[in-house]
PDB file of all heavy atoms in Angstrom:
ATOM      1  N   GLN A 259       0.422  -9.435   1.980  1.00  0.00           N
ATOM      2  CA  GLN A 259       1.299  -9.492   0.814  1.00  0.00           C
ATOM      3  C   GLN A 259       1.980 -10.847   0.759  1.00  0.00           C
ATOM      4  O   GLN A 259       2.796 -11.181   1.606  1.00  0.00           O
ATOM      5  CB  GLN A 259       2.345  -8.387   0.826  1.00  0.00           C
ATOM      6  CG  GLN A 259       3.177  -8.337  -0.457  1.00  0.00           C
ATOM      7  CD  GLN A 259       4.038  -7.087  -0.532  1.00  0.00           C
ATOM      8  OE1 GLN A 259       4.628  -6.657   0.446  1.00  0.00           O
ATOM      9  NE2 GLN A 259       4.101  -6.476  -1.712  1.00  0.00           N
ATOM     10  N   LEU A 265       0.121  -7.172  -3.081  1.00  0.00           N
ATOM     11  CA  LEU A 265      -0.397  -6.502  -1.887  1.00  0.00           C
ATOM     12  C   LEU A 265      -1.919  -6.452  -1.989  1.00  0.00           C
ATOM     13  O   LEU A 265      -2.465  -5.791  -2.867  1.00  0.00           O
ATOM     14  CB  LEU A 265       0.185  -5.099  -1.797  1.00  0.00           C
ATOM     15  CG  LEU A 265       0.103  -4.377  -0.456  1.00  0.00           C
ATOM     16  CD1 LEU A 265       0.934  -5.104   0.583  1.00  0.00           C
ATOM     17  CD2 LEU A 265       0.596  -2.951  -0.597  1.00  0.00           C
ATOM     18  N   PHE A 267      -5.630  -5.646  -0.193  1.00  0.00           N
ATOM     19  CA  PHE A 267      -6.345  -4.953   0.867  1.00  0.00           C
ATOM     20  C   PHE A 267      -7.278  -5.921   1.578  1.00  0.00           C
ATOM     21  O   PHE A 267      -8.009  -6.670   0.942  1.00  0.00           O
ATOM     22  CB  PHE A 267      -7.138  -3.794   0.258  1.00  0.00           C
ATOM     23  CG  PHE A 267      -8.115  -3.146   1.202  1.00  0.00           C
ATOM     24  CD1 PHE A 267      -7.682  -2.224   2.132  1.00  0.00           C
ATOM     25  CD2 PHE A 267      -9.457  -3.470   1.169  1.00  0.00           C
ATOM     26  CE1 PHE A 267      -8.579  -1.623   3.007  1.00  0.00           C
ATOM     27  CE2 PHE A 267     -10.366  -2.878   2.032  1.00  0.00           C
ATOM     28  CZ  PHE A 267      -9.928  -1.954   2.954  1.00  0.00           C
ATOM     29  N   GLN A 270     -10.566  -2.111   6.528  1.00  0.00           N
ATOM     30  CA  GLN A 270     -10.263  -0.783   7.056  1.00  0.00           C
ATOM     31  C   GLN A 270     -11.177  -0.480   8.231  1.00  0.00           C
ATOM     32  O   GLN A 270     -12.372  -0.786   8.199  1.00  0.00           O
ATOM     33  CB  GLN A 270     -10.463   0.291   5.985  1.00  0.00           C
ATOM     34  CG  GLN A 270     -10.247   1.719   6.505  1.00  0.00           C
ATOM     35  CD  GLN A 270     -10.964   2.782   5.694  1.00  0.00           C
ATOM     36  OE1 GLN A 270     -11.664   2.486   4.744  1.00  0.00           O
ATOM     37  NE2 GLN A 270     -10.788   4.037   6.053  1.00  0.00           N
ATOM     38  N   ALA A 278     -14.468  -0.434   5.451  1.00  0.00           N
ATOM     39  CA  ALA A 278     -14.401  -1.088   4.146  1.00  0.00           C
ATOM     40  C   ALA A 278     -13.814  -2.475   4.295  1.00  0.00           C
ATOM     41  O   ALA A 278     -13.003  -2.730   5.174  1.00  0.00           O
ATOM     42  CB  ALA A 278     -13.564  -0.273   3.169  1.00  0.00           C
ATOM     43  N   LYS A 279     -14.291  -3.360   3.430  1.00  0.00           N
ATOM     44  CA  LYS A 279     -13.841  -4.737   3.475  1.00  0.00           C
ATOM     45  C   LYS A 279     -13.351  -5.151   2.101  1.00  0.00           C
ATOM     46  O   LYS A 279     -14.013  -4.889   1.094  1.00  0.00           O
ATOM     47  CB  LYS A 279     -15.001  -5.636   3.894  1.00  0.00           C
ATOM     48  CG  LYS A 279     -14.654  -6.719   4.871  1.00  0.00           C
ATOM     49  CD  LYS A 279     -15.922  -7.350   5.437  1.00  0.00           C
ATOM     50  CE  LYS A 279     -15.583  -8.296   6.544  1.00  0.00           C
ATOM     51  NZ  LYS A 279     -16.782  -8.888   7.164  1.00  0.00           N
ATOM     52  N   PHE A 312       0.653  -6.260   6.582  1.00  0.00           N
ATOM     53  CA  PHE A 312       0.953  -4.868   6.864  1.00  0.00           C
ATOM     54  C   PHE A 312      -0.265  -4.164   7.418  1.00  0.00           C
ATOM     55  O   PHE A 312      -1.397  -4.393   7.004  1.00  0.00           O
ATOM     56  CB  PHE A 312       1.387  -4.139   5.591  1.00  0.00           C
ATOM     57  CG  PHE A 312       2.729  -4.542   5.071  1.00  0.00           C
ATOM     58  CD1 PHE A 312       2.847  -5.325   3.937  1.00  0.00           C
ATOM     59  CD2 PHE A 312       3.897  -4.130   5.712  1.00  0.00           C
ATOM     60  CE1 PHE A 312       4.089  -5.697   3.453  1.00  0.00           C
ATOM     61  CE2 PHE A 312       5.137  -4.486   5.238  1.00  0.00           C
ATOM     62  CZ  PHE A 312       5.237  -5.291   4.102  1.00  0.00           C
ATOM     63  N   ARG A 321      -9.930   6.804   1.147  1.00  0.00           N
ATOM     64  CA  ARG A 321     -10.638   5.727   0.462  1.00  0.00           C
ATOM     65  C   ARG A 321      -9.890   5.287  -0.787  1.00  0.00           C
ATOM     66  O   ARG A 321      -8.697   5.182  -0.794  1.00  0.00           O
ATOM     67  CB  ARG A 321     -12.051   6.187   0.161  1.00  0.00           C
ATOM     68  CG  ARG A 321     -12.778   6.583   1.442  1.00  0.00           C
ATOM     69  CD  ARG A 321     -14.200   6.921   1.204  1.00  0.00           C
ATOM     70  NE  ARG A 321     -14.832   7.447   2.391  1.00  0.00           N
ATOM     71  CZ  ARG A 321     -16.110   7.753   2.451  1.00  0.00           C
ATOM     72  NH1 ARG A 321     -16.884   7.590   1.395  1.00  0.00           N
ATOM     73  NH2 ARG A 321     -16.627   8.232   3.556  1.00  0.00           N
ATOM     74  N   ALA A 322     -10.610   5.010  -1.808  1.00  0.00           N
ATOM     75  CA  ALA A 322      -9.995   4.391  -2.974  1.00  0.00           C
ATOM     76  C   ALA A 322      -8.959   5.283  -3.627  1.00  0.00           C
ATOM     77  O   ALA A 322      -8.183   4.820  -4.438  1.00  0.00           O
ATOM     78  CB  ALA A 322     -11.068   4.004  -3.981  1.00  0.00           C
ATOM     79  N   GLY A 323      -8.953   6.542  -3.267  1.00  0.00           N
ATOM     80  CA  GLY A 323      -7.919   7.411  -3.807  1.00  0.00           C
ATOM     81  C   GLY A 323      -6.538   6.968  -3.391  1.00  0.00           C
ATOM     82  O   GLY A 323      -5.547   7.380  -3.970  1.00  0.00           O
ATOM     83  N   GLY A 324      -6.495   6.093  -2.359  1.00  0.00           N
ATOM     84  CA  GLY A 324      -5.200   5.579  -1.919  1.00  0.00           C
ATOM     85  C   GLY A 324      -4.315   6.652  -1.360  1.00  0.00           C
ATOM     86  O   GLY A 324      -3.101   6.483  -1.287  1.00  0.00           O
ATOM     87  N   GLY A 325      -4.892   7.741  -0.969  1.00  0.00           N
ATOM     88  CA  GLY A 325      -4.119   8.874  -0.494  1.00  0.00           C
ATOM     89  C   GLY A 325      -3.349   8.573   0.746  1.00  0.00           C
ATOM     90  O   GLY A 325      -3.597   7.627   1.412  1.00  0.00           O
ATOM     91  N   GLU A 326      -2.476   9.357   1.113  1.00  0.00           N
ATOM     92  CA  GLU A 326      -1.368   9.159   1.999  1.00  0.00           C
ATOM     93  C   GLU A 326      -1.632   8.241   3.189  1.00  0.00           C
ATOM     94  O   GLU A 326      -2.150   8.668   4.219  1.00  0.00           O
ATOM     95  CB  GLU A 326      -0.854  10.505   2.499  1.00  0.00           C
ATOM     96  CG  GLU A 326       0.535  10.490   3.036  1.00  0.00           C
ATOM     97  CD  GLU A 326       1.197  11.847   2.938  1.00  0.00           C
ATOM     98  OE1 GLU A 326       0.556  12.772   2.396  1.00  0.00           O
ATOM     99  OE2 GLU A 326       2.332  11.968   3.385  1.00  0.00           O
ATOM    100  N   GLN A 327      -1.269   6.987   3.026  1.00  0.00           N
ATOM    101  CA  GLN A 327      -1.302   6.017   4.098  1.00  0.00           C
ATOM    102  C   GLN A 327       0.126   5.774   4.569  1.00  0.00           C
ATOM    103  O   GLN A 327       1.049   5.734   3.770  1.00  0.00           O
ATOM    104  CB  GLN A 327      -1.898   4.685   3.627  1.00  0.00           C
ATOM    105  CG  GLN A 327      -3.344   4.772   3.175  1.00  0.00           C
ATOM    106  CD  GLN A 327      -3.871   3.434   2.726  1.00  0.00           C
ATOM    107  OE1 GLN A 327      -3.516   2.380   3.268  1.00  0.00           O
ATOM    108  NE2 GLN A 327      -4.741   3.452   1.736  1.00  0.00           N
ATOM    109  N   PHE A 329       2.527   3.080   6.304  1.00  0.00           N
ATOM    110  CA  PHE A 329       2.593   1.644   6.541  1.00  0.00           C
ATOM    111  C   PHE A 329       3.572   1.300   7.660  1.00  0.00           C
ATOM    112  O   PHE A 329       4.638   1.905   7.789  1.00  0.00           O
ATOM    113  CB  PHE A 329       3.029   0.914   5.272  1.00  0.00           C
ATOM    114  CG  PHE A 329       1.932   0.746   4.260  1.00  0.00           C
ATOM    115  CD1 PHE A 329       1.526   1.816   3.473  1.00  0.00           C
ATOM    116  CD2 PHE A 329       1.303  -0.479   4.101  1.00  0.00           C
ATOM    117  CE1 PHE A 329       0.511   1.670   2.544  1.00  0.00           C
ATOM    118  CE2 PHE A 329       0.292  -0.642   3.160  1.00  0.00           C
ATOM    119  CZ  PHE A 329      -0.098   0.429   2.384  1.00  0.00           C
ATOM    120  N   ARG A 334       5.706 -10.854   9.613  1.00  0.00           N
ATOM    121  CA  ARG A 334       5.892 -11.994   8.707  1.00  0.00           C
ATOM    122  C   ARG A 334       5.356 -13.245   9.380  1.00  0.00           C
ATOM    123  O   ARG A 334       5.882 -13.695  10.399  1.00  0.00           O
ATOM    124  CB  ARG A 334       7.360 -12.190   8.357  1.00  0.00           C
ATOM    125  CG  ARG A 334       7.591 -13.343   7.368  1.00  0.00           C
ATOM    126  CD  ARG A 334       9.029 -13.418   6.907  1.00  0.00           C
ATOM    127  NE  ARG A 334       9.425 -12.270   6.106  1.00  0.00           N
ATOM    128  CZ  ARG A 334       9.148 -12.112   4.812  1.00  0.00           C
ATOM    129  NH1 ARG A 334       8.468 -13.022   4.162  1.00  0.00           N
ATOM    130  NH2 ARG A 334       9.574 -11.046   4.163  1.00  0.00           N
TER     131      ARG A 334
ATOM    132  N   THR B 320      -2.064   7.986  -7.450  1.00  0.00           N
ATOM    133  CA  THR B 320      -1.168   7.960  -6.304  1.00  0.00           C
ATOM    134  C   THR B 320      -0.043   6.978  -6.566  1.00  0.00           C
ATOM    135  O   THR B 320      -0.267   5.913  -7.132  1.00  0.00           O
ATOM    136  CB  THR B 320      -1.935   7.521  -5.039  1.00  0.00           C
ATOM    137  OG1 THR B 320      -3.128   8.284  -4.907  1.00  0.00           O
ATOM    138  CG2 THR B 320      -1.075   7.714  -3.804  1.00  0.00           C
ATOM    139  N   TYR B 322       3.265   4.836  -4.789  1.00  0.00           N
ATOM    140  CA  TYR B 322       3.937   4.349  -3.591  1.00  0.00           C
ATOM    141  C   TYR B 322       5.240   3.669  -3.974  1.00  0.00           C
ATOM    142  O   TYR B 322       5.395   3.152  -5.079  1.00  0.00           O
ATOM    143  CB  TYR B 322       3.056   3.335  -2.838  1.00  0.00           C
ATOM    144  CG  TYR B 322       1.981   3.944  -1.968  1.00  0.00           C
ATOM    145  CD1 TYR B 322       0.781   4.386  -2.505  1.00  0.00           C
ATOM    146  CD2 TYR B 322       2.169   4.078  -0.600  1.00  0.00           C
ATOM    147  CE1 TYR B 322      -0.205   4.938  -1.707  1.00  0.00           C
ATOM    148  CE2 TYR B 322       1.193   4.621   0.217  1.00  0.00           C
ATOM    149  CZ  TYR B 322       0.012   5.046  -0.347  1.00  0.00           C
ATOM    150  OH  TYR B 322      -0.957   5.596   0.448  1.00  0.00           O
ATOM    151  N   GLN B 324       8.075   0.736  -2.498  1.00  0.00           N
ATOM    152  CA  GLN B 324       8.244  -0.332  -1.507  1.00  0.00           C
ATOM    153  C   GLN B 324       9.608  -0.984  -1.632  1.00  0.00           C
ATOM    154  O   GLN B 324       9.974  -1.479  -2.710  1.00  0.00           O
ATOM    155  CB  GLN B 324       7.153  -1.395  -1.641  1.00  0.00           C
ATOM    156  CG  GLN B 324       7.220  -2.444  -0.538  1.00  0.00           C
ATOM    157  CD  GLN B 324       6.132  -3.484  -0.599  1.00  0.00           C
ATOM    158  OE1 GLN B 324       5.590  -3.758  -1.666  1.00  0.00           O
ATOM    159  NE2 GLN B 324       5.803  -4.068   0.540  1.00  0.00           N
ATOM    160  N   SER B 327      10.669  -6.354   1.991  1.00  0.00           N
ATOM    161  CA  SER B 327      10.274  -6.649   3.375  1.00  0.00           C
ATOM    162  C   SER B 327       9.916  -5.402   4.190  1.00  0.00           C
ATOM    163  O   SER B 327       9.992  -5.422   5.422  1.00  0.00           O
ATOM    164  CB  SER B 327      11.380  -7.431   4.099  1.00  0.00           C
ATOM    165  OG  SER B 327      11.571  -8.678   3.462  1.00  0.00           O
ATOM    166  N   GLY B 329       6.975  -1.983   4.408  1.00  0.00           N
ATOM    167  CA  GLY B 329       5.692  -1.508   3.925  1.00  0.00           C
ATOM    168  C   GLY B 329       5.862  -0.425   2.879  1.00  0.00           C
ATOM    169  O   GLY B 329       6.861   0.277   2.855  1.00  0.00           O
ATOM    170  N   PRO B 330       4.894  -0.289   1.990  1.00  0.00           N
ATOM    171  CA  PRO B 330       4.965   0.779   0.982  1.00  0.00           C
ATOM    172  C   PRO B 330       5.030   2.156   1.627  1.00  0.00           C
ATOM    173  O   PRO B 330       4.535   2.364   2.733  1.00  0.00           O
ATOM    174  CB  PRO B 330       3.648   0.606   0.205  1.00  0.00           C
ATOM    175  CG  PRO B 330       3.261  -0.822   0.405  1.00  0.00           C
ATOM    176  CD  PRO B 330       3.708  -1.140   1.801  1.00  0.00           C
ATOM    177  N   GLN B 335       0.846  12.227  -4.978  1.00  0.00           N
ATOM    178  CA  GLN B 335      -0.516  12.067  -5.476  1.00  0.00           C
ATOM    179  C   GLN B 335      -0.906  13.289  -6.300  1.00  0.00           C
ATOM    180  O   GLN B 335      -0.516  14.414  -5.968  1.00  0.00           O
ATOM    181  CB  GLN B 335      -1.506  11.884  -4.319  1.00  0.00           C
ATOM    182  CG  GLN B 335      -2.949  11.627  -4.755  1.00  0.00           C
ATOM    183  CD  GLN B 335      -3.903  11.482  -3.582  1.00  0.00           C
ATOM    184  OE1 GLN B 335      -4.095  12.400  -2.795  1.00  0.00           O
ATOM    185  NE2 GLN B 335      -4.499  10.301  -3.457  1.00  0.00           N
ATOM    186  N   GLY B 377      -7.850   5.779  -8.063  1.00  0.00           N
ATOM    187  CA  GLY B 377      -9.105   5.550  -7.370  1.00  0.00           C
ATOM    188  C   GLY B 377      -9.806   6.832  -6.985  1.00  0.00           C
ATOM    189  O   GLY B 377      -9.221   7.897  -6.886  1.00  0.00           O
ATOM    190  N   ASP B 378     -11.078   6.657  -6.757  1.00  0.00           N
ATOM    191  CA  ASP B 378     -11.952   7.758  -6.373  1.00  0.00           C
ATOM    192  C   ASP B 378     -11.867   7.952  -4.864  1.00  0.00           C
ATOM    193  O   ASP B 378     -12.117   7.023  -4.107  1.00  0.00           O
ATOM    194  CB  ASP B 378     -13.377   7.421  -6.790  1.00  0.00           C
ATOM    195  CG  ASP B 378     -14.358   8.544  -6.533  1.00  0.00           C
ATOM    196  OD1 ASP B 378     -14.043   9.456  -5.744  1.00  0.00           O
ATOM    197  OD2 ASP B 378     -15.447   8.508  -7.117  1.00  0.00           O
ATOM    198  N   VAL B 379     -11.541   9.146  -4.442  1.00  0.00           N
ATOM    199  CA  VAL B 379     -11.388   9.403  -3.010  1.00  0.00           C
ATOM    200  C   VAL B 379     -12.703   9.247  -2.259  1.00  0.00           C
ATOM    201  O   VAL B 379     -12.709   9.170  -1.036  1.00  0.00           O
ATOM    202  CB  VAL B 379     -10.812  10.807  -2.750  1.00  0.00           C
ATOM    203  CG1 VAL B 379      -9.388  10.901  -3.249  1.00  0.00           C
ATOM    204  CG2 VAL B 379     -11.670  11.883  -3.383  1.00  0.00           C
ATOM    205  N   ASP B 380     -13.803   9.196  -2.964  1.00  0.00           N
ATOM    206  CA  ASP B 380     -15.085   9.026  -2.288  1.00  0.00           C
ATOM    207  C   ASP B 380     -15.602   7.598  -2.339  1.00  0.00           C
ATOM    208  O   ASP B 380     -16.672   7.305  -1.829  1.00  0.00           O
ATOM    209  CB  ASP B 380     -16.136   9.948  -2.919  1.00  0.00           C
ATOM    210  CG  ASP B 380     -15.839  11.406  -2.612  1.00  0.00           C
ATOM    211  OD1 ASP B 380     -15.359  11.670  -1.498  1.00  0.00           O
ATOM    212  OD2 ASP B 380     -16.073  12.260  -3.474  1.00  0.00           O
ATOM    213  N   SER B 381     -14.834   6.711  -2.932  1.00  0.00           N
ATOM    214  CA  SER B 381     -15.233   5.310  -2.982  1.00  0.00           C
ATOM    215  C   SER B 381     -14.671   4.561  -1.792  1.00  0.00           C
ATOM    216  O   SER B 381     -13.820   5.057  -1.066  1.00  0.00           O
ATOM    217  CB  SER B 381     -14.737   4.652  -4.273  1.00  0.00           C
ATOM    218  OG  SER B 381     -15.321   5.246  -5.389  1.00  0.00           O
ATOM    219  N   SER B 382     -15.155   3.354  -1.625  1.00  0.00           N
ATOM    220  CA  SER B 382     -14.689   2.533  -0.517  1.00  0.00           C
ATOM    221  C   SER B 382     -13.214   2.190  -0.664  1.00  0.00           C
ATOM    222  O   SER B 382     -12.725   1.994  -1.767  1.00  0.00           O
ATOM    223  CB  SER B 382     -15.500   1.248  -0.464  1.00  0.00           C
ATOM    224  OG  SER B 382     -14.914   0.309   0.399  1.00  0.00           O
ATOM    225  N   ALA B 383     -12.543   2.072   0.476  1.00  0.00           N
ATOM    226  CA  ALA B 383     -11.138   1.673   0.459  1.00  0.00           C
ATOM    227  C   ALA B 383     -10.959   0.275  -0.091  1.00  0.00           C
ATOM    228  O   ALA B 383      -9.852  -0.117  -0.456  1.00  0.00           O
ATOM    229  CB  ALA B 383     -10.555   1.747   1.868  1.00  0.00           C
ATOM    230  N   SER B 384     -12.060  -0.477  -0.157  1.00  0.00           N
ATOM    231  CA  SER B 384     -11.964  -1.831  -0.707  1.00  0.00           C
ATOM    232  C   SER B 384     -11.579  -1.799  -2.172  1.00  0.00           C
ATOM    233  O   SER B 384     -11.222  -2.806  -2.753  1.00  0.00           O
ATOM    234  CB  SER B 384     -13.291  -2.572  -0.537  1.00  0.00           C
ATOM    235  OG  SER B 384     -14.308  -1.950  -1.291  1.00  0.00           O
ATOM    236  N   ILE B 386      -9.076  -0.090  -3.310  1.00  0.00           N
ATOM    237  CA  ILE B 386      -7.640   0.166  -3.448  1.00  0.00           C
ATOM    238  C   ILE B 386      -6.948  -1.053  -4.030  1.00  0.00           C
ATOM    239  O   ILE B 386      -7.028  -2.139  -3.490  1.00  0.00           O
ATOM    240  CB  ILE B 386      -7.003   0.526  -2.085  1.00  0.00           C
ATOM    241  CG1 ILE B 386      -7.608   1.823  -1.547  1.00  0.00           C
ATOM    242  CG2 ILE B 386      -5.494   0.656  -2.219  1.00  0.00           C
ATOM    243  CD1 ILE B 386      -7.134   2.183  -0.167  1.00  0.00           C
TER     244      ILE B 386
END
Side-chain angles (χ1 to χ4, degrees):
Chain A
Q259 186 170 41
L265 197 65
F267 170 80
Q270 176 204 2
K279 222 168 188 178
F312 290 107
R321 302 185 187 184
E326 200 155 357
Q327 297 180 35
F329 282 76
R334 182 173 294 280
Chain B
T320 310
Y322 280 81
Q324 186 178 26
S327 297
Q335 183 181 62
D378 184 342
V379 293
D380 291 324
S381 297
S382 168
S384 65
I386 297 175

